[in-house]
Amino acid sequence: KAGVTQTPRYLIKTRGQQVTLSCSPISGHRSVSWYQQTPGQGLQFLFEYFSETQRNKGNFPGRFSGRQFSNSRSEMNVSTLELGDSALYLCASSLGGLPETQYFGPGTRLLVL
Amino acid sequence: EDQVTQSPEALRLQEGESSSLNCSYTVSGLRGLFWYRQDPGKGPEFLFTLYSAGEEKEKERLKATLTKKESFLHITAPKPEDSATYLCAVQASSSASKIIFGSGTRLSIRP
């Protein structure tokens, strides 16, 4: 069974630009969660989508948004990029959402210059 | 406020030297506690899920235990390939579907 895939794996952007990251969950999984990982803050929850609906949201500004499609694939968008948005962005999928076990993808490394 | 604290921050062991990693949590109603392993530049790899105090789970050289206030990840006779950052996360009833991660323990096993 294929694992969680994320594209692109690496991305370099400049301040003020916007970026869209993609996540394909494990087949059959309906929940996708997004996380930001930085050396200073560790792993922080962004939001969770289940059956195309945002179910929960972490404490991030409105510049961070997401959506989920009918095939459970999910995208995350960050508008007006700031230097502090440089991070590893991880998505995780699970069958029905937390507290079920989540399986993580390899992440997208975003560098904002 | 819900909180997860992992200790130690870093641990260096000799191959074969057993030890334990600690995850202390303060949450209002635990729904689940998760252990992950993360290698540099990669996403976390699932290890265990624990749901209630007294529960234990084992996998190869790893054993996870849970009490009402903390969880331990015991590593028995570790090998160099066990070197990684070990992350603990909890989901609390008060946080709906949000999951809170600890800052991790960087484990290094010397041959």
Side-chain angles (χ1 to χ4, degrees), chain B residues 11-88:
Chain B
L11 182 62
R12 296 186 69 180
L13 300 172
Q14 201 67 36
E15 183 173 1
E17 181 185 0
S18 301
S19 189
S20 296
L21 313 183
N22 178 266
C23 172
S24 298
Y25 61 91
T26 306
V27 296
S28 303
L30 179 71
R31 296 187 69 193
L33 184 141
F34 311 89
W35 281 99
Y36 288 89
R37 166 198 170 124
Q38 187 174 27
D39 293 301
K42 296 187 177 181
E45 175 190 341
F46 170 73
L47 293 174
F48 305 108
T49 304
L50 302 168
Y51 293 104
S52 57
E55 193 174 357
E56 298 182 354
K57 288 192 177 174
E58 281 187 76
K59 179 182 176 181
E60 296 179 357
R61 295 179 292 282
L62 299 175
K63 179 180 176 180
T65 62
L66 180 65
T67 71
K68 288 186 177 179
K69 293 184 178 180
E70 58 192 348
S71 176
F72 291 95
L73 185 64
H74 307 278
I75 182 162
T76 303
K79 299 181 178 181
E81 54 262 41
D82 294 322
S83 297
T85 294
Y86 290 84
L87 296 165
C88 167

Side-chain angles (χ1 to χ4, degrees), chain B residues 85-97:
Chain B
T85 294
Y86 290 84
L87 296 165
C88 167
V90 301
Q91 195 219 349
S93 301
S94 59
S95 303
S97 291

